[in-house]
Amino acid sequence: MAELIKMPKMSDTMTEGVVSKWLKKVGDEIKSGDVMAEIETDKATMELESYQTGTLLYIGVAEGKAAPVDGVLAIIGKAGEDYKSLLDEASKAAPKEETKEETGKDKQQEAAAAAGNGKQPEPATAVAEKKEAAPKITKPVTPAASSSEDGGRIKASPLAKKLAEEKGIDLTKLKGTGDNGRVVKRDIDWFKPGSFVAGAPQTFVGSESFDDIPVSQMRKTIAKRLSESKFTAPHFYLTMEINMDRMMDARESINAVSATKVSFNDIVIKATAAALRQHPKVNSSWQGDTIRMNHHIHIGVAIAVDEGLLVPVVRFADGKTLSQIAGEVKVFSQKAKDKKLQPQDWEGNTFTISNLGMFGIEEFTAIINTPDACILAVGGIKQAPLVVNGKLRIGNVMKVTLSCDHRVVDGVTGSKFLQTLKGFLENPVVLLGLNSI
């Protein structure tokens, strides 16, 4: 018996998916476990696996087109089996679009009105054809009137007339730049012999154009979630400057012995996890009637891809070594670029870090990645004047900004967290003493 293949819900935020590629075609034999298509979700491109065995009888969504969750993607059954009744049932069960219903009502009202006036209502298809065939009307552009128009009278200011007479300029050869094409003094001053137009700026002829780029599933979800976060959670921001001199020396020593190269971002993740252990209120989330204080520390790491931003999660970051964190982040970065991240890679964050320092950004604010209560925006390390023990010297500084949900985290709580983070980053021995490299 034929069975429907529906669009699965591949992530907690997914409402629809795009069929990026069909790997099977109508008539192909399908076995349970075969990958039928690649589906682009709001997070990544994932494989659609068949749980049925049979022949692919029908494909309901073309490549590059979207279908809602539970929408019909395909039908699998016995070769030659009639699946029309199954498709009709699915079509009846699907919710109707409001716009289509409204359009139908409008057409019924138009038909009733026409009948009341003694007119024969036109079929809907005829109306649609007329709309499509309607020519586009381009409004003609009327050129500016020259100064000699208006019944032969030259429109010019008295001063312009006097100057034109002194310089021997024929006012009928000028286009005025004053009101209603009136020749004024500047037109006389700009006039160049041999030109029919005063020395006004030359007209540049160009064409306007644009591209309407379809919004990807990822970009739709980013827009929705960040808008909800920004306009629901009352954000406030705390910025702190951190001296990275000692940490720069420490990183050089770490990479001399570490099997995996450790970046400054990896170090920030480790230091943040250690600071969260001491400030659990920052590792919390707003639940409406309750505040959830997480005992585990899962840090989301924002990674930029072509379509937007993905946030894979380093789980139990406080218990991992720098090498382990560095290795995980590298794997996540590659999987994000290859669109191979899975739901278990991006779910469950309790705190998020966004680092734009590698792009030369010194300082910025980030929007909280719900359900987290905070997100840390990390800027680049730059040389700057520092006062140490009353003496001025050049040092390496990094600015970090903590965005806080004021429903969960107060200013003092966020400030104490940043002080602890600063202490770890400015004193590598304390940080590295928590566990091995």
Side-chain angles (χ1 to χ4, degrees):
M1 183 177 178
E3 293 186 57
L4 294 174
I5 307 298
K6 297 183 178 181
M7 176 67 76
K9 188 177 179 68
M10 296 178 169
S11 76
D12 54 342
T13 57
M14 178 179 171
T15 57
E16 65 178 8
V18 173
V19 178
S20 58
K21 185 178 182 181
W22 279 104
L23 303 178
K24 303 289 184 180
K25 62 182 183 296
V26 173
D28 285 355
E29 291 298 318
I30 307 293
K31 294 181 181 179
S32 178
D34 285 354
V35 177
M36 297 176 58
E38 294 178 354
I39 306 296
E40 179 192 340
T41 72
D42 55 334
K43 303 285 188 179
T45 299
M46 306 178 71
E47 295 177 339
L48 175 69
E49 184 178 332
S50 173
Y51 295 99
Q52 292 83 15
T53 296
T55 301
L56 183 57
L57 303 176
Y58 168 81
I59 289 178
V61 181
E63 289 185 356
K65 298 297 182 181
V69 170
D70 290 333
V72 177
L73 291 178
I75 296 177
I76 292 178
K78 293 182 180 179
E81 184 177 355
D82 183 10
Y83 56 83
K84 187 176 183 301
S85 59
L86 187 65
L87 200 59
D88 289 341
E89 290 178 8
S91 178
K92 290 177 182 178
K96 295 181 179 180
E97 295 182 17
E98 185 179 351
T99 52
K100 290 183 179 179
E101 291 177 356
E102 292 176 352
T103 303
K105 290 178 182 177
D106 292 342
K107 289 180 179 177
Q108 290 175 3
Q109 291 172 356
E110 290 174 4
N117 293 330
K119 296 179 182 178
Q120 183 67 27
E122 292 182 276
T125 52
V127 175
E129 288 174 0
K130 281 189 175 183
K131 287 183 179 179
E132 290 179 2
K136 293 182 179 179
I137 301 174
T138 303
K139 185 178 179 181
V141 179
T142 305
S146 67
S147 58
S148 60
E149 293 177 354
D150 191 14
R153 185 175 66 85
I154 297 175
K155 293 187 289 185
S157 69
L159 179 58
K161 288 181 180 180
K162 180 180 178 183
L163 293 174
E165 184 178 354
E166 292 175 354
K167 297 183 178 182
I169 297 174
D170 185 356
L171 289 177
T172 62
K173 302 299 184 183
L174 300 182
K175 275 188 178 179
T177 59
D179 294 339
N180 299 317
R182 189 167 181 250
V183 178
V184 293
K185 179 179 181 295
R186 62 173 173 267
D187 299 316
I188 303 299
D189 295 336
W190 288 346
F191 179 74
K192 297 178 181 178
S195 173
F196 287 100
V197 183
Q202 296 295 314
T203 301
F204 178 79
V205 179
S207 60
E208 295 180 351
S209 64
F210 58 86
D211 291 323
D212 285 332
I213 301 172
V215 180
S216 68
Q217 300 304 307
M218 183 185 300
R219 180 56 63 182
K220 286 180 182 177
T221 300
I222 289 172
K224 180 181 178 182
R225 292 193 65 189
L226 293 187
S227 295
E228 289 174 352
S229 173
K230 184 66 175 177
F231 298 113
T232 301
H235 286 54
F236 74 93
Y237 310 96
L238 301 169
T239 299
M240 183 168 281
E241 191 173 86
I242 299 172
N243 184 344
M244 296 293 286
D245 285 346
R246 292 180 181 177
M247 187 55 75
M248 292 182 74
D249 293 336
R251 175 175 175 262
E252 188 174 340
S253 300
I254 291 169
N255 283 330
V257 297
S258 175
T260 304
K261 186 176 180 181
V262 174
S263 70
F264 283 112
N265 196 53
D266 301 326
I267 294 171
V268 171
I269 294 171
K270 177 65 179 176
T272 299
L276 288 172
R277 179 57 63 198
Q278 296 188 24
H279 301 276
K281 288 185 179 179
V282 180
N283 192 46
S284 303
S285 63
W286 179 259
Q287 300 292 315
D289 294 330
T290 61
I291 294 175
R292 177 170 296 169
M293 294 184 63
N294 299 294
H295 302 303
H296 57 279
I297 296 173
H298 292 350
I299 296 185
V301 183
I303 296 176
V305 294
D306 291 340
E307 293 84 3
L309 204 64
L310 293 173
V311 188
V313 179
V314 178
R315 301 177 188 281
F316 308 106
D318 58 322
K320 292 180 177 176
T321 66
L322 277 171
S323 298
Q324 288 173 325
I325 292 172
E328 278 192 35
V329 172
K330 284 181 174 61
V331 171
F332 283 146
S333 297
Q334 190 58 51
K335 288 174 72 174
K337 292 176 183 176
D338 297 338
K339 296 185 177 181
K340 298 298 182 182
L341 286 173
Q342 299 299 307
Q344 61 268 25
D345 294 330
W346 66 66
E347 294 173 348
N349 49 283
T350 62
F351 187 93
T352 302
I353 294 174
S354 179
N355 191 336
L356 293 178
M358 65 284 292
F359 299 105
I361 301 301
E362 297 178 6
E363 180 183 355
F364 69 104
T365 58
I367 299 174
I368 295 170
N369 179 34
T370 55
D372 301 350
C374 297
I375 184 171
L376 186 71
V378 183
I381 300 173
K382 69 166 189 174
Q383 290 191 329
L386 292 174
V387 178
V388 180
N389 297 325
K391 294 182 180 180
L392 183 66
R393 67 175 181 83
I394 300 297
N396 295 282
V397 298
M398 178 180 75
K399 287 186 179 180
V400 296
T401 299
L402 185 69
S403 303
C404 304
D405 182 346
H406 216 323
R407 297 173 300 180
V408 181
V409 177
D410 295 327
V412 173
T413 302
S415 299
K416 288 181 177 179
F417 165 80
L418 285 180
Q419 285 179 335
T420 301
L421 176 65
K422 177 183 175 74
F424 282 135
L425 291 175
E426 291 188 343
N427 297 281
V429 174
V430 177
L431 177 64
L432 298 179
L434 296 175
N435 53 22
S436 62
I437 297 173

